Amino acid sequence: MRILLASSEVHPYSKTGGLADMVGALAKTLARAGHQVGLVTPLYAVVRENFPQLNPLELPLELPLGPQSVSAKIYTLNPSPNLTIYFVDVPRFYDRPELYGYNGVDYPDNAERFIFFSKAVAYLACHLPWSPEMVHLNDWQTGLAALFLRHQAKTAGQGSFPGVCLTIHNLAYQGLFPSGQYPLANLPWEYFNVDGVEFYGRMSCLKAGLVFSDVLTTVSPRYSREILTPELGCGLDGLLRTRQNALFGILNGSDYEIWNPLTDPYIQSYSAADFTGKARNKELLQMELGLPADPSIPFFGSIGRLVEQKGVDIMMAAVPEMMQHKLQFVLLGNGTPDCEAKFAAFTNRFPSQFAMRGGYDEALSHRIEAGADFFVMPSRFEPCGLNQMYSLRYGTIPIVRATGGLDDTVIDVREDAEKANGIKFHDYSTQALSKAVRKALTLYAEPELFHQFRINAMSADFSWDRTAAAYINVYKRAVHK
Ligand code: ADP
């Protein structure tokens, strides 16, 4: 199949979260399976710095954006056979230090930046010489491309248009802008209503994708059911229920070329057959963080964006109780300065037990996965979650709240005593998290059982081949619509 993916972030070029990992791995896996794959993404400053050898494409774009006309250059990279990355270069929109905002505040021109990006995606979908059959959009930043394509198909009268799939990586981020920004789309007002892009008087870029794509997916089966409920539907559950027949939950894979303790260049290698390297990683991490390098102390890690979704409030409240026990905890978290500072304050209170690193640090995230004994992920909701899958592969036992993809990927002893590979709790509360931590300590005190959990964890398989095959099946529904 000929597939054009579009995403506002793609690993290894740009990344703030799991979206980048998912799109980068899906593109690579589809290409390896023999499909022709293109991937459109903005040319951010970070891409320019790390990938200076980009090739210009002879396909300059000049597209309207409200009353202005904006031109873009397209650059390409071919990282592997059958795969081309198309970088959309508009320096005034994308050549910036951060992807979406600065210091936790969104850039004020994000409507222009991503409406333009969505237009560029729709344009490339129709003008690339290899005529993509399928366009796969991801999240609100590309949602409007579904409407641009639908509108073009309607007004062109003839010609074949690609099928469109939109993946919801997180329904909580909708790309809502004042209605006054809608003219940037240069579309008739007939789409600005409750059956189109309007969401309570505002323009919703995500809703455009939900309404006008042929098929919709989310990144885990459980999340695909959760978003049909008022509790996790973010006001879009009614619409999603009407599109239920076109909505599929496909669990993300884990990229084992990057997240494999045997080959990971950031760590001392190890495998399920020999945990010597894991013990060494723990010792090195303890030393790096200035914590006592004691192999007997259970070591907890957590990595993630410090936002409400990730359970930051219950985690913060649980820290003092956790510190009553003989354990160590490292948190790598990217959040507002205020939130990072609150966690950092624990390092003064509990200097031999608690370590905090703010900001984004890819290498350290690998060292934590490898060095910790347990991984804490107390999310309020979690569309898929990747770190628990990485933790499993690294023999680092995940402690998760049973929601979304966390529930789909981790097996608690109460579900299956033989296959158990993690610890789950249900209530969204500090007490429930603290209790799960105490269970972890009990498990740690039983070395044979703990070892069995590790073996089970490391044998869990979330390889991308299965995930990519599931996407092809969904694409077929859209192409043969
Ligand atoms: P989300 O996409 O909601 O942020 P996921 O668990 O799906 O959450 O994916 C998060 C990805 O981002 C993982 O690869 C994780 O390792 C990485 N990550 C998150 N925060 C940081 C950080 N502060 N430093 C390094 N990597 C991080």
Side-chain angles (χ1 to χ4, degrees), residues 141-206:
Q141 294 88 344
T142 53
L144 276 167
L147 174 53
F148 294 134
L149 285 166
R150 181 68 66 92
H151 182 67
Q152 278 173 36
K154 198 171 133 188
T155 48
Q158 57 181 16
S160 65
F161 280 83
V164 179
C165 170
L166 171 86
T167 295
I168 308 158
H169 295 257
N170 194 332
L171 196 63
Y173 298 95
Q174 300 181 359
L176 290 171
F177 299 101
S179 58
Q181 306 269 42
Y182 180 70
L184 291 170
N186 302 89
L187 287 170
W189 281 95
E190 69 189 63
Y191 297 112
F192 195 87
N193 58 39
V194 69
D195 297 320
V197 303
E198 184 198 347
F199 188 72
Y200 298 101
R202 290 194 282 174
M203 167 175 59
S204 166
C205 297
L206 182 66

Side-chain angles (χ1 to χ4, degrees), residues 303-435:
I303 303 165
R305 295 178 297 117
L306 297 178
V307 293
E308 197 190 321
Q309 175 206 337
K310 299 290 175 186
V312 168
D313 53 347
I314 60 172
M315 190 153 74
M316 197 182 282
V319 169
E321 204 225 278
M322 283 178 78
M323 298 297 124
Q324 306 295 311
H325 303 283
K326 190 180 170 213
L327 61 80
Q328 295 171 340
F329 188 12
V330 54
L331 171 66
L332 168 61
N334 198 358
T336 59
D338 177 54
C339 185
E340 288 191 17
K342 281 186 180 145
F343 276 109
F346 288 131
T347 58
N348 298 329
R349 238 171 109 186
F350 309 104
S352 64
Q353 285 183 283
F354 190 87
M356 156 82 188
R357 293 290 182 271
Y360 186 89
D361 187 337
E362 184 155 342
L364 180 58
S365 75
H366 285 247
R367 295 198 293 274
I368 291 175
E369 286 291 4
D373 297 305
F374 296 97
F375 192 89
V376 184
M377 221 163 156
S379 304
R380 193 183 282 269
F381 68 95
E382 193 58 77
C384 178
L386 292 173
N387 275 114
Q388 83 283 9
M389 291 199 252
Y390 304 152
S391 300
L392 289 170
R393 185 43 63 107
Y394 281 64
T396 301
I397 303 306
I399 300 171
V400 302
R401 178 155 177 272
T403 181
L406 298 177
D407 199 30
D408 284 339
T409 50
V410 174
I411 306 171
D412 187 86
V413 74
R414 277 177 301 182
E415 292 169 297
D416 188 329
E418 274 178 28
K419 292 194 188 136
N421 58 21
I423 295 168
K424 276 185 194 172
F425 63 98
H426 293 264
D427 285 353
Y428 186 79
S429 70
T430 304
Q431 291 78 359
L433 170 57
S434 298
K435 189 171 166 192

